[in-house]
Amino acid sequence: MRDNDSHGEPEHSNGSSSDGGLLDGLTRRDALQMGGIAVGAGLLSGSAVATGNENESGGRGRGPIPSVYDVTKFGAKGDGDTDDSDAIQAAIDAAGGDGGGIVYLPVGTFDVDETLTVSDDHVAIVGAGKGTVIRATFEDGDVIYAGGTEPVDGVRNLTIRDLEITASVEKTSGAALFCEHGQRVLVENVYAERQGALDPNLHDAFYFRYFDSCVLSNVFAVCNHASVTIHGKEDQTWGAGFWIVNGSRLMNGPPNAVPEGSVGFHVGGSCGGIAIEDTDVIANERNLLVDTELSGALNRELFINQCWLDRSRGNGVEVGPNGVHLLHFNNTWLASSGHDDPDAGGYPEANNLYLDEGFPGRVILNGCRIFNAFGSGVVARAGQLTVSGCDVFHNGIGPDGGHGIALLGEVADTTVVGNTITHNGTDELGEGVRVGEDVDDYVVAANVIRENATEQLVDEGGPNGETGLNVT
């Protein structure tokens, strides 16, 4: 069972088999391979280890084998008709009660009429791939809930992998997975979507409230509200270390049918050490939203590397007042904002990157491609901006036009150097770079700024600005 004394602040701030957990349909070799899951989730310690650890020839030395709790041994049918809630919950509770283990769901559709709850450490919920489906048959609430409202009730070393989470009804609230006070949580190869279609019926996919060192790897999320939501506490605890990696995709509907108000990734306050890499965020109202709405406190740092932020209905990336201290984009594609809004006209709406008034931090764009926005490529109304080595082109394509880069409002300590800024805007508005009259302390230099529709460089900034050596 959980050792309550070991919980608190995060570190950074009866179906099991006594012969090694071997169940019908699961060989010892299978269990050994699944041991890799247990290692990653910290299951191979203490009472989480089954007593038998002989190798297949009967010898010893291959290492301990984690206990496996096959949900069918607890009465689950997986026939897409029976309510398997009690059986799956019994397997989860048995694994947790024994100190941890692998809750195994074979191929099948496991209907659940109520939320599944994980309350203990060192539990892995593992399917057999996309053919393993957990399907909610209720409208309100989470499909899986892990952790608790107090730190002492949180979970550590939770793994969920190799399965699909869906619903047979239109979900009006809740997430496919809601994790609260989770430490070292791995979600891998998990699909949260309507079964067999892009038309979403889940409300949220993955929601992490108060977390420490959590990873989403190769996840696929299609829902109506938010694919991934995270936030810490207002005192800047419980919001450190979160990764979305390895070909994940976050979306909220097929192109041309994006739900209004939907968000791909919402960083809602008091978060730091956040990284997104090799991830596609597409077809949302806003692909990335960074604000303080959920915790009330500033986010610290967010790194985005080799990602695709594409085809949003509104602003592709939107950073709210007091949103984040540092936001760093590297080799990332920011594209096609406004394409799924039938009323999109262009700037001041539907920009690929928008920094709102009151934004206090720095945004770095290095080696990015910023293009095809109905509005402007980049709009900064506050904060500090560094743009280098980027291609900024074909923005402002809506009828109202737009800019390549617009520095407006209380922008300072800003550098735009070594970029190619071309073919932006329409005859209505088509400026390559605009520096507004309230901007001071800036350098716009050594850029290629050509073939923008109305102006190449408009400099109305203060006396501490410098524009020079641009090729226009």
Side-chain angles (χ1 to χ4, degrees):
M1 298 294 287
R2 174 187 291 110
D3 178 4
N4 286 342
D5 292 338
S6 67
H7 283 256
E9 291 305 307
E11 293 178 356
H12 291 141
S13 50
N14 291 355
S16 67
S17 173
S18 61
D19 67 350
L22 304 182
L23 303 175
D24 292 348
L26 191 67
T27 68
R28 185 176 293 271
R29 182 183 299 275
D30 293 331
L32 285 167
Q33 291 173 342
M34 291 172 69
I37 300 166
V39 170
L43 298 178
L44 301 184
S45 60
S47 60
V49 180
T51 56
N53 64 347
E54 294 84 6
N55 63 28
E56 288 182 304
S57 63
R60 302 180 66 86
R62 180 169 285 188
I65 301 171
S67 298
V68 178
Y69 302 78
D70 188 324
V71 297
T72 64
K73 298 299 182 181
F74 291 80
K77 302 299 183 185
D79 58 9
D81 185 50
T82 304
D83 175 17
D84 289 322
S85 304
D86 290 343
I88 298 173
Q89 188 63 58
I92 293 171
D93 293 343
D98 288 345
I102 296 171
V103 177
Y104 177 67
L105 292 81
V107 171
T109 298
F110 297 86
D111 281 354
V112 292
D113 288 353
E114 58 188 35
T115 298
L116 301 173
T117 302
V118 183
S119 302
D120 297 289
D121 298 338
H122 314 304
V123 171
I125 300 174
V126 180
K130 203 170 186 295
T132 298
V133 179
I134 299 175
R135 185 171 66 181
T137 59
F138 55 98
E139 294 181 356
D140 298 326
D142 307 308
V143 183
I144 300 174
Y145 176 85
T149 58
E150 299 297 328
V152 71
D153 298 319
V155 293
R156 297 174 303 175
N157 303 323
L158 168 68
T159 294
I160 300 176
R161 64 176 299 171
D162 300 333
L163 51 81
E164 179 176 27
I165 304 172
T166 188
S168 62
V169 296
E170 194 79 14
K171 294 287 288 179
T172 56
S173 67
L177 169 65
F178 191 108
C179 186
E180 192 166 18
H181 291 109
Q183 298 184 64
R184 299 188 299 276
V185 176
L186 170 64
V187 181
E188 187 171 28
N189 304 333
V190 171
Y191 299 78
E193 60 178 345
R194 182 191 290 270
Q195 202 169 3
L198 286 179
D199 182 23
N201 63 352
L202 293 172
H203 184 67
D204 289 331
F206 306 105
Y207 196 123
F208 285 76
R209 174 189 289 165
Y210 318 142
F211 60 88
D212 178 57
S213 301
C214 298
V215 178
L216 302 183
S217 175
N218 191 31
V219 299
F220 187 85
V222 184
C223 55
N224 281 313
H225 182 243
S227 294
V228 179
T229 302
I230 64 172
H231 68 91
K233 295 187 176 182
E234 189 172 6
D235 63 1
Q236 294 292 353
T237 61
W238 284 100
F242 194 95
W243 295 264
I244 306 175
V245 296
N246 293 340
S248 295
R249 170 170 276 201
L250 313 178
M251 60 190 300
N252 282 293
N256 303 314
V258 174
E260 292 189 27
S262 59
V263 180
F265 184 27
H266 186 185
V267 183
S270 305
C271 297
I274 312 305
I276 318 175
E277 186 167 11
D278 295 330
T279 292
D280 187 11
V281 190
I282 184 171
N284 306 281
E285 174 79 24
R286 289 165 293 185
N287 287 324
L288 173 62
L289 173 62
V290 184
D291 62 16
T292 61
E293 178 182 342
L294 302 177
S295 83
L298 177 77
N299 296 290
R300 299 182 296 281
E301 57 278 325
L302 171 59
F303 303 94
I304 301 174
N305 184 48
Q306 295 183 182
C307 292
W308 297 263
L309 308 177
D310 194 8
R311 198 158 182 138
S312 63
R313 183 183 176 97
N315 292 322
V317 177
E318 184 172 316
V319 183
N322 205 34
V324 66
H325 178 69
L326 173 64
L327 174 58
H328 191 161
F329 296 89
N330 184 60
N331 293 337
T332 287
W333 176 325
L334 296 87
S336 303
S337 299
H339 275 253
D340 292 319
D341 183 356
D343 300 319
Y347 175 81
E349 299 176 343
N351 310 291
N352 280 330
L353 171 62
Y354 179 77
L355 310 179
D356 205 353
E357 296 175 358
F359 168 63
R362 176 171 292 280
V363 172
I364 299 172
L365 294 143
N366 180 54
C368 297
R369 291 171 63 84
I370 305 167
F371 64 100
N372 274 7
F374 266 51
S376 298
V378 176
V379 176
R381 295 191 176 278
Q384 305 154 55
L385 193 66
T386 300
V387 186
S388 64
C390 295
D391 290 330
V392 185
F393 63 96
H394 207 237
N395 299 288
I397 62 175
D400 296 336
H403 319 78
I405 298 174
L407 308 178
L408 311 169
E410 298 179 0
V411 175
D413 189 16
T414 286
T415 303
V416 180
V417 173
N419 306 282
T420 301
I421 305 167
T422 62
H423 299 95
N424 295 285
T426 65
D427 291 341
E428 186 72 22
L429 173 63
E431 299 172 345
V433 178
R434 167 170 283 274
V435 181
E437 61 183 8
D438 295 325
V439 179
D440 203 0
D441 188 14
Y442 59 92
V443 175
V444 179
N447 302 286
V448 175
I449 311 176
R450 282 181 169 173
E451 299 184 64
N452 299 286
T454 58
E455 298 282 350
Q456 307 312 311
L457 172 60
V458 179
D459 181 10
E460 299 176 345
N464 296 313
E466 179 180 338
T467 59
L469 301 178
N470 295 293
V471 179
T472 59

PDB file of all heavy atoms in Angstrom, residues 255-286:
ATOM      1  N   PRO A 255      -9.794  19.158 -39.779  1.00  0.00           N
ATOM      2  CA  PRO A 255      -9.766  20.473 -40.406  1.00  0.00           C
ATOM      3  C   PRO A 255     -11.141  20.830 -40.977  1.00  0.00           C
ATOM      4  O   PRO A 255     -11.873  19.976 -41.447  1.00  0.00           O
ATOM      5  CB  PRO A 255      -8.714  20.301 -41.511  1.00  0.00           C
ATOM      6  CG  PRO A 255      -7.817  19.213 -40.999  1.00  0.00           C
ATOM      7  CD  PRO A 255      -8.720  18.277 -40.257  1.00  0.00           C
ATOM      8  N   ASN A 256     -11.451  22.107 -40.876  1.00  0.00           N
ATOM      9  CA  ASN A 256     -12.728  22.677 -41.323  1.00  0.00           C
ATOM     10  C   ASN A 256     -13.879  22.376 -40.372  1.00  0.00           C
ATOM     11  O   ASN A 256     -15.017  22.726 -40.651  1.00  0.00           O
ATOM     12  CB  ASN A 256     -13.100  22.202 -42.741  1.00  0.00           C
ATOM     13  CG  ASN A 256     -12.029  22.532 -43.756  1.00  0.00           C
ATOM     14  OD1 ASN A 256     -11.514  23.644 -43.776  1.00  0.00           O
ATOM     15  ND2 ASN A 256     -11.681  21.559 -44.583  1.00  0.00           N
ATOM     16  N   ALA A 257     -13.602  21.721 -39.236  1.00  0.00           N
ATOM     17  CA  ALA A 257     -14.650  21.486 -38.237  1.00  0.00           C
ATOM     18  C   ALA A 257     -14.068  21.593 -36.841  1.00  0.00           C
ATOM     19  O   ALA A 257     -14.345  20.781 -35.963  1.00  0.00           O
ATOM     20  CB  ALA A 257     -15.284  20.115 -38.454  1.00  0.00           C
ATOM     21  N   VAL A 258     -13.241  22.611 -36.617  1.00  0.00           N
ATOM     22  CA  VAL A 258     -12.569  22.782 -35.326  1.00  0.00           C
ATOM     23  C   VAL A 258     -13.543  23.351 -34.308  1.00  0.00           C
ATOM     24  O   VAL A 258     -14.182  24.374 -34.555  1.00  0.00           O
ATOM     25  CB  VAL A 258     -11.358  23.724 -35.484  1.00  0.00           C
ATOM     26  CG1 VAL A 258     -10.745  24.037 -34.132  1.00  0.00           C
ATOM     27  CG2 VAL A 258     -10.333  23.095 -36.414  1.00  0.00           C
ATOM     28  N   PRO A 259     -13.690  22.725 -33.127  1.00  0.00           N
ATOM     29  CA  PRO A 259     -14.617  23.254 -32.116  1.00  0.00           C
ATOM     30  C   PRO A 259     -14.166  24.630 -31.617  1.00  0.00           C
ATOM     31  O   PRO A 259     -12.983  24.844 -31.355  1.00  0.00           O
ATOM     32  CB  PRO A 259     -14.534  22.214 -30.986  1.00  0.00           C
ATOM     33  CG  PRO A 259     -14.010  20.973 -31.628  1.00  0.00           C
ATOM     34  CD  PRO A 259     -13.104  21.442 -32.716  1.00  0.00           C
ATOM     35  N   GLU A 260     -15.100  25.542 -31.496  1.00  0.00           N
ATOM     36  CA  GLU A 260     -14.783  26.865 -30.972  1.00  0.00           C
ATOM     37  C   GLU A 260     -14.321  26.742 -29.521  1.00  0.00           C
ATOM     38  O   GLU A 260     -14.876  26.005 -28.722  1.00  0.00           O
ATOM     39  CB  GLU A 260     -16.002  27.778 -31.066  1.00  0.00           C
ATOM     40  CG  GLU A 260     -16.398  28.125 -32.490  1.00  0.00           C
ATOM     41  CD  GLU A 260     -17.466  29.190 -32.552  1.00  0.00           C
ATOM     42  OE1 GLU A 260     -17.546  30.004 -31.610  1.00  0.00           O
ATOM     43  OE2 GLU A 260     -18.231  29.207 -33.527  1.00  0.00           O
ATOM     44  N   GLY A 261     -13.274  27.489 -29.183  1.00  0.00           N
ATOM     45  CA  GLY A 261     -12.753  27.488 -27.820  1.00  0.00           C
ATOM     46  C   GLY A 261     -11.794  26.362 -27.507  1.00  0.00           C
ATOM     47  O   GLY A 261     -11.269  26.277 -26.399  1.00  0.00           O
ATOM     48  N   SER A 262     -11.507  25.491 -28.461  1.00  0.00           N
ATOM     49  CA  SER A 262     -10.655  24.337 -28.201  1.00  0.00           C
ATOM     50  C   SER A 262      -9.178  24.745 -28.154  1.00  0.00           C
ATOM     51  O   SER A 262      -8.753  25.710 -28.784  1.00  0.00           O
ATOM     52  CB  SER A 262     -10.875  23.262 -29.261  1.00  0.00           C
ATOM     53  OG  SER A 262     -10.582  23.760 -30.557  1.00  0.00           O
ATOM     54  N   VAL A 263      -8.398  23.971 -27.391  1.00  0.00           N
ATOM     55  CA  VAL A 263      -6.969  24.244 -27.212  1.00  0.00           C
ATOM     56  C   VAL A 263      -6.197  22.943 -27.375  1.00  0.00           C
ATOM     57  O   VAL A 263      -6.578  21.917 -26.802  1.00  0.00           O
ATOM     58  CB  VAL A 263      -6.680  24.845 -25.820  1.00  0.00           C
ATOM     59  CG1 VAL A 263      -5.189  25.121 -25.663  1.00  0.00           C
ATOM     60  CG2 VAL A 263      -7.475  26.121 -25.605  1.00  0.00           C
ATOM     61  N   GLY A 264      -5.099  22.990 -28.120  1.00  0.00           N
ATOM     62  CA  GLY A 264      -4.250  21.814 -28.231  1.00  0.00           C
ATOM     63  C   GLY A 264      -3.477  21.556 -26.951  1.00  0.00           C
ATOM     64  O   GLY A 264      -3.551  20.486 -26.359  1.00  0.00           O
ATOM     65  N   PHE A 265      -2.702  22.544 -26.488  1.00  0.00           N
ATOM     66  CA  PHE A 265      -1.913  22.429 -25.272  1.00  0.00           C
ATOM     67  C   PHE A 265      -2.091  23.708 -24.474  1.00  0.00           C
ATOM     68  O   PHE A 265      -1.737  24.790 -24.932  1.00  0.00           O
ATOM     69  CB  PHE A 265      -0.444  22.210 -25.615  1.00  0.00           C
ATOM     70  CG  PHE A 265       0.467  21.968 -24.430  1.00  0.00           C
ATOM     71  CD1 PHE A 265      -0.002  21.409 -23.252  1.00  0.00           C
ATOM     72  CD2 PHE A 265       1.820  22.289 -24.512  1.00  0.00           C
ATOM     73  CE1 PHE A 265       0.846  21.187 -22.177  1.00  0.00           C
ATOM     74  CE2 PHE A 265       2.684  22.058 -23.452  1.00  0.00           C
ATOM     75  CZ  PHE A 265       2.188  21.505 -22.278  1.00  0.00           C
ATOM     76  N   HIS A 266      -2.658  23.577 -23.271  1.00  0.00           N
ATOM     77  CA  HIS A 266      -2.909  24.725 -22.401  1.00  0.00           C
ATOM     78  C   HIS A 266      -1.966  24.650 -21.212  1.00  0.00           C
ATOM     79  O   HIS A 266      -2.060  23.732 -20.397  1.00  0.00           O
ATOM     80  CB  HIS A 266      -4.371  24.733 -21.925  1.00  0.00           C
ATOM     81  CG  HIS A 266      -4.733  25.963 -21.146  1.00  0.00           C
ATOM     82  ND1 HIS A 266      -5.966  26.112 -20.537  1.00  0.00           N
ATOM     83  CD2 HIS A 266      -4.047  27.100 -20.874  1.00  0.00           C
ATOM     84  CE1 HIS A 266      -6.001  27.277 -19.937  1.00  0.00           C
ATOM     85  NE2 HIS A 266      -4.838  27.899 -20.120  1.00  0.00           N
ATOM     86  N   VAL A 267      -1.047  25.594 -21.145  1.00  0.00           N
ATOM     87  CA  VAL A 267      -0.151  25.732 -19.996  1.00  0.00           C
ATOM     88  C   VAL A 267      -0.746  26.831 -19.128  1.00  0.00           C
ATOM     89  O   VAL A 267      -0.634  28.016 -19.443  1.00  0.00           O
ATOM     90  CB  VAL A 267       1.277  26.069 -20.449  1.00  0.00           C
ATOM     91  CG1 VAL A 267       2.221  26.145 -19.256  1.00  0.00           C
ATOM     92  CG2 VAL A 267       1.771  25.031 -21.453  1.00  0.00           C
ATOM     93  N   GLY A 268      -1.401  26.444 -18.031  1.00  0.00           N
ATOM     94  CA  GLY A 268      -2.310  27.337 -17.324  1.00  0.00           C
ATOM     95  C   GLY A 268      -1.781  28.028 -16.105  1.00  0.00           C
ATOM     96  O   GLY A 268      -2.550  28.609 -15.342  1.00  0.00           O
ATOM     97  N   GLY A 269      -0.448  27.999 -15.890  1.00  0.00           N
ATOM     98  CA  GLY A 269       0.125  28.755 -14.791  1.00  0.00           C
ATOM     99  C   GLY A 269       0.971  27.914 -13.858  1.00  0.00           C
ATOM    100  O   GLY A 269       0.721  26.730 -13.640  1.00  0.00           O
ATOM    101  N   SER A 270       2.036  28.545 -13.307  1.00  0.00           N
ATOM    102  CA  SER A 270       2.913  27.927 -12.309  1.00  0.00           C
ATOM    103  C   SER A 270       3.609  26.685 -12.838  1.00  0.00           C
ATOM    104  O   SER A 270       3.839  25.737 -12.090  1.00  0.00           O
ATOM    105  CB  SER A 270       2.124  27.589 -11.032  1.00  0.00           C
ATOM    106  OG  SER A 270       1.467  28.717 -10.518  1.00  0.00           O
ATOM    107  N   CYS A 271       3.961  26.686 -14.106  1.00  0.00           N
ATOM    108  CA  CYS A 271       4.635  25.539 -14.728  1.00  0.00           C
ATOM    109  C   CYS A 271       6.047  25.931 -15.133  1.00  0.00           C
ATOM    110  O   CYS A 271       6.286  27.034 -15.621  1.00  0.00           O
ATOM    111  CB  CYS A 271       3.883  25.066 -15.971  1.00  0.00           C
ATOM    112  SG  CYS A 271       2.228  24.453 -15.656  1.00  0.00           S
ATOM    113  N   GLY A 272       6.985  24.995 -14.962  1.00  0.00           N
ATOM    114  CA  GLY A 272       8.356  25.224 -15.378  1.00  0.00           C
ATOM    115  C   GLY A 272       8.993  23.940 -15.847  1.00  0.00           C
ATOM    116  O   GLY A 272       8.574  22.844 -15.474  1.00  0.00           O
ATOM    117  N   GLY A 273      10.020  24.081 -16.677  1.00  0.00           N
ATOM    118  CA  GLY A 273      10.667  22.902 -17.221  1.00  0.00           C
ATOM    119  C   GLY A 273       9.751  22.121 -18.144  1.00  0.00           C
ATOM    120  O   GLY A 273       9.716  20.899 -18.118  1.00  0.00           O
ATOM    121  N   ILE A 274       9.017  22.830 -19.004  1.00  0.00           N
ATOM    122  CA  ILE A 274       8.054  22.215 -19.910  1.00  0.00           C
ATOM    123  C   ILE A 274       8.685  22.119 -21.296  1.00  0.00           C
ATOM    124  O   ILE A 274       9.247  23.089 -21.797  1.00  0.00           O
ATOM    125  CB  ILE A 274       6.759  23.048 -19.988  1.00  0.00           C
ATOM    126  CG1 ILE A 274       6.261  23.429 -18.588  1.00  0.00           C
ATOM    127  CG2 ILE A 274       5.689  22.297 -20.766  1.00  0.00           C
ATOM    128  CD1 ILE A 274       6.060  22.268 -17.652  1.00  0.00           C
ATOM    129  N   ALA A 275       8.597  20.960 -21.912  1.00  0.00           N
ATOM    130  CA  ALA A 275       9.200  20.769 -23.228  1.00  0.00           C
ATOM    131  C   ALA A 275       8.252  19.997 -24.134  1.00  0.00           C
ATOM    132  O   ALA A 275       7.634  19.015 -23.714  1.00  0.00           O
ATOM    133  CB  ALA A 275      10.530  20.025 -23.101  1.00  0.00           C
ATOM    134  N   ILE A 276       8.154  20.463 -25.388  1.00  0.00           N
ATOM    135  CA  ILE A 276       7.420  19.752 -26.432  1.00  0.00           C
ATOM    136  C   ILE A 276       8.404  19.505 -27.565  1.00  0.00           C
ATOM    137  O   ILE A 276       9.066  20.435 -28.048  1.00  0.00           O
ATOM    138  CB  ILE A 276       6.235  20.570 -26.975  1.00  0.00           C
ATOM    139  CG1 ILE A 276       5.460  21.275 -25.868  1.00  0.00           C
ATOM    140  CG2 ILE A 276       5.298  19.684 -27.776  1.00  0.00           C
ATOM    141  CD1 ILE A 276       4.371  22.191 -26.381  1.00  0.00           C
ATOM    142  N   GLU A 277       8.490  18.263 -28.013  1.00  0.00           N
ATOM    143  CA  GLU A 277       9.441  17.938 -29.068  1.00  0.00           C
ATOM    144  C   GLU A 277       8.842  16.899 -30.003  1.00  0.00           C
ATOM    145  O   GLU A 277       8.169  15.966 -29.569  1.00  0.00           O
ATOM    146  CB  GLU A 277      10.738  17.404 -28.464  1.00  0.00           C
ATOM    147  CG  GLU A 277      11.838  17.187 -29.488  1.00  0.00           C
ATOM    148  CD  GLU A 277      13.195  16.974 -28.857  1.00  0.00           C
ATOM    149  OE1 GLU A 277      13.272  16.782 -27.629  1.00  0.00           O
ATOM    150  OE2 GLU A 277      14.194  17.002 -29.607  1.00  0.00           O
ATOM    151  N   ASP A 278       9.066  17.096 -31.309  1.00  0.00           N
ATOM    152  CA  ASP A 278       8.582  16.160 -32.328  1.00  0.00           C
ATOM    153  C   ASP A 278       7.088  15.884 -32.163  1.00  0.00           C
ATOM    154  O   ASP A 278       6.651  14.730 -32.175  1.00  0.00           O
ATOM    155  CB  ASP A 278       9.366  14.848 -32.255  1.00  0.00           C
ATOM    156  CG  ASP A 278      10.829  15.031 -32.613  1.00  0.00           C
ATOM    157  OD1 ASP A 278      11.135  15.931 -33.417  1.00  0.00           O
ATOM    158  OD2 ASP A 278      11.676  14.285 -32.077  1.00  0.00           O
ATOM    159  N   THR A 279       6.330  16.938 -32.020  1.00  0.00           N
ATOM    160  CA  THR A 279       4.890  16.831 -31.771  1.00  0.00           C
ATOM    161  C   THR A 279       4.128  17.700 -32.754  1.00  0.00           C
ATOM    162  O   THR A 279       4.565  18.802 -33.089  1.00  0.00           O
ATOM    163  CB  THR A 279       4.575  17.241 -30.318  1.00  0.00           C
ATOM    164  OG1 THR A 279       5.122  16.262 -29.426  1.00  0.00           O
ATOM    165  CG2 THR A 279       3.088  17.341 -30.073  1.00  0.00           C
ATOM    166  N   ASP A 280       3.001  17.201 -33.213  1.00  0.00           N
ATOM    167  CA  ASP A 280       2.128  17.901 -34.154  1.00  0.00           C
ATOM    168  C   ASP A 280       0.908  18.411 -33.389  1.00  0.00           C
ATOM    169  O   ASP A 280       0.147  17.622 -32.827  1.00  0.00           O
ATOM    170  CB  ASP A 280       1.719  16.926 -35.259  1.00  0.00           C
ATOM    171  CG  ASP A 280       0.944  17.597 -36.382  1.00  0.00           C
ATOM    172  OD1 ASP A 280       0.896  18.842 -36.413  1.00  0.00           O
ATOM    173  OD2 ASP A 280       0.393  16.876 -37.225  1.00  0.00           O
ATOM    174  N   VAL A 281       0.739  19.725 -33.359  1.00  0.00           N
ATOM    175  CA  VAL A 281      -0.417  20.345 -32.706  1.00  0.00           C
ATOM    176  C   VAL A 281      -1.196  21.046 -33.803  1.00  0.00           C
ATOM    177  O   VAL A 281      -0.749  22.046 -34.369  1.00  0.00           O
ATOM    178  CB  VAL A 281       0.008  21.329 -31.604  1.00  0.00           C
ATOM    179  CG1 VAL A 281      -1.201  21.774 -30.793  1.00  0.00           C
ATOM    180  CG2 VAL A 281       1.059  20.712 -30.688  1.00  0.00           C
ATOM    181  N   ILE A 282      -2.372  20.537 -34.116  1.00  0.00           N
ATOM    182  CA  ILE A 282      -3.054  20.959 -35.339  1.00  0.00           C
ATOM    183  C   ILE A 282      -4.569  20.959 -35.127  1.00  0.00           C
ATOM    184  O   ILE A 282      -5.110  20.185 -34.348  1.00  0.00           O
ATOM    185  CB  ILE A 282      -2.673  20.012 -36.509  1.00  0.00           C
ATOM    186  CG1 ILE A 282      -3.281  20.489 -37.828  1.00  0.00           C
ATOM    187  CG2 ILE A 282      -3.036  18.571 -36.217  1.00  0.00           C
ATOM    188  CD1 ILE A 282      -2.764  19.717 -39.035  1.00  0.00           C
ATOM    189  N   ALA A 283      -5.233  21.860 -35.833  1.00  0.00           N
ATOM    190  CA  ALA A 283      -6.704  21.883 -35.891  1.00  0.00           C
ATOM    191  C   ALA A 283      -7.325  22.095 -34.525  1.00  0.00           C
ATOM    192  O   ALA A 283      -8.133  21.306 -34.047  1.00  0.00           O
ATOM    193  CB  ALA A 283      -7.239  20.604 -36.542  1.00  0.00           C
ATOM    194  N   ASN A 284      -6.937  23.210 -33.894  1.00  0.00           N
ATOM    195  CA  ASN A 284      -7.533  23.668 -32.644  1.00  0.00           C
ATOM    196  C   ASN A 284      -7.921  25.136 -32.800  1.00  0.00           C
ATOM    197  O   ASN A 284      -7.419  25.828 -33.684  1.00  0.00           O
ATOM    198  CB  ASN A 284      -6.539  23.529 -31.486  1.00  0.00           C
ATOM    199  CG  ASN A 284      -5.983  22.120 -31.359  1.00  0.00           C
ATOM    200  OD1 ASN A 284      -6.622  21.236 -30.830  1.00  0.00           O
ATOM    201  ND2 ASN A 284      -4.759  21.910 -31.860  1.00  0.00           N
ATOM    202  N   GLU A 285      -8.771  25.634 -31.925  1.00  0.00           N
ATOM    203  CA  GLU A 285      -9.025  27.075 -31.916  1.00  0.00           C
ATOM    204  C   GLU A 285      -7.705  27.820 -31.669  1.00  0.00           C
ATOM    205  O   GLU A 285      -7.357  28.757 -32.380  1.00  0.00           O
ATOM    206  CB  GLU A 285     -10.040  27.432 -30.829  1.00  0.00           C
ATOM    207  CG  GLU A 285     -10.269  28.921 -30.625  1.00  0.00           C
ATOM    208  CD  GLU A 285     -11.186  29.531 -31.662  1.00  0.00           C
ATOM    209  OE1 GLU A 285     -11.994  28.805 -32.247  1.00  0.00           O
ATOM    210  OE2 GLU A 285     -11.085  30.753 -31.886  1.00  0.00           O
ATOM    211  N   ARG A 286      -6.968  27.387 -30.646  1.00  0.00           N
ATOM    212  CA  ARG A 286      -5.604  27.853 -30.394  1.00  0.00           C
ATOM    213  C   ARG A 286      -4.748  26.609 -30.170  1.00  0.00           C
ATOM    214  O   ARG A 286      -5.061  25.785 -29.316  1.00  0.00           O
ATOM    215  CB  ARG A 286      -5.557  28.778 -29.180  1.00  0.00           C
ATOM    216  CG  ARG A 286      -6.196  30.137 -29.430  1.00  0.00           C
ATOM    217  CD  ARG A 286      -6.470  30.885 -28.163  1.00  0.00           C
ATOM    218  NE  ARG A 286      -7.493  30.241 -27.349  1.00  0.00           N
ATOM    219  CZ  ARG A 286      -8.001  30.744 -26.231  1.00  0.00           C
ATOM    220  NH1 ARG A 286      -7.565  31.903 -25.780  1.00  0.00           N
ATOM    221  NH2 ARG A 286      -8.926  30.097 -25.563  1.00  0.00           N
TER     222      ARG A 286
END
